[in-house]
Amino acid sequence: MWPFSQKKQLELPDFWWEYEEHFKEKLPEGVHDNTFVVLDTETTGFSLTRDRMLCIGALKLLDNNIVVKDSFEVYIQQDHYDSESAEIHGILKKSKKESISELDALKQFLVYAKNHILVGHHVMFDINMINAALKRNGLPKLKNKTLDTESLYIRTLLISTVVQRKDRYTLDDLANKFSISRKDRHTALGDAFITAIAFLRIIEKLKPEKIKDLLR
């Protein structure tokens, strides 16, 4: 964690302490007893210092089901803008989508994520972007455990002696492998949905019983 003086810690907002409170509870041991938050961010680029998040999309998985009614999507006001990346994810500077401040977006995400395990494809990019935003707003890093669908997918290939493995697997690779529609690709919530389905298919192959079997 980043160093915080005692005075600085006392100045942290109430919503941060409410977020931290959830971590006093242990995660359930069984995989199917856990709630997973599958997330994706759309950003202005790949630099943690120069670039910013434009959107956070997430949804929850519980007992092998996507909790459709409990999805999360926020668009974030940002002055930094990259026309090239906008062509990929379709979030335009003059978009009519309602956007909120970065701090409000972080607050809403922390309320949504609680202490649940965060799942993503190349998840540490999204986590690091969120942590960079937290740091800009004087807040500590996320405390959640994480799972990466690329790493988990590679573990399914270790079971097979037939499939020739690659060094990297994109979200498109997993969508092709599991015949998942890419209709909403390159939107945060759309990519989170693809990742969630891929994660469920991977779980079917790995057949873990305990959450520690996934987190190892």
Side-chain angles (χ1 to χ4, degrees), residues 62-76:
L62 179 61
D63 194 20
N64 278 351
N65 290 298
I66 297 174
V67 187
V68 178
K69 293 182 179 179
D70 196 10
S71 62
F72 177 90
E73 187 177 40
V74 290
Y75 290 85
I76 303 166

Side-chain angles (χ1 to χ4, degrees), residues 40-46 51-55 73 75-76 80-93 95 97 125 184-191:
D40 183 78
T41 61
E42 298 299 336
T43 68
T44 61
F46 299 105
D51 289 302
R52 301 290 185 266
M53 294 184 295
L54 295 172
C55 182
E73 187 177 40
Y75 290 85
I76 303 166
H80 182 102
Y81 180 71
D82 185 335
S83 59
E84 291 183 7
S85 63
E87 290 179 9
I88 296 174
H89 49 57
I91 302 173
L92 302 176
K93 190 172 185 179
S95 172
K97 292 184 181 295
F125 171 75
D184 293 322
R185 184 78 170 92
H186 296 303
T187 66
L189 192 55
D191 283 358

Side-chain angles (χ1 to χ4, degrees), residues 71 104 111 163 175 192 202:
S71 62
D104 283 341
V111 169
V163 179
I202 291 167

Side-chain angles (χ1 to χ4, degrees), residues 12 54 73 82 105 120 122 126 140 164 206:
L12 291 172
L54 295 172
E73 187 177 40
D82 185 335
H122 303 152
D126 302 296
Q164 186 174 1
L206 292 177

Side-chain angles (χ1 to χ4, degrees), residues 121-171:
H121 195 73
H122 303 152
V123 69
M124 289 315 299
F125 171 75
D126 302 296
I127 297 300
N128 288 335
M129 288 299 291
I130 293 171
N131 282 338
L134 287 166
K135 186 177 182 181
R136 276 195 300 275
N137 286 275
L139 297 167
K141 292 181 180 180
L142 289 171
K143 297 172 67 69
N144 307 67
K145 295 184 182 299
T146 61
L147 288 169
D148 181 66
T149 46
E150 181 189 51
S151 299
L152 292 173
Y153 177 65
I154 289 172
R155 280 167 57 179
T156 71
L157 301 180
L158 298 177
I159 300 169
S160 171
T161 57
V162 179
V163 179
Q164 186 174 1
R165 293 189 294 276
K166 300 193 299 184
D167 291 333
R168 302 288 293 184
Y169 291 90
T170 66
L171 188 56

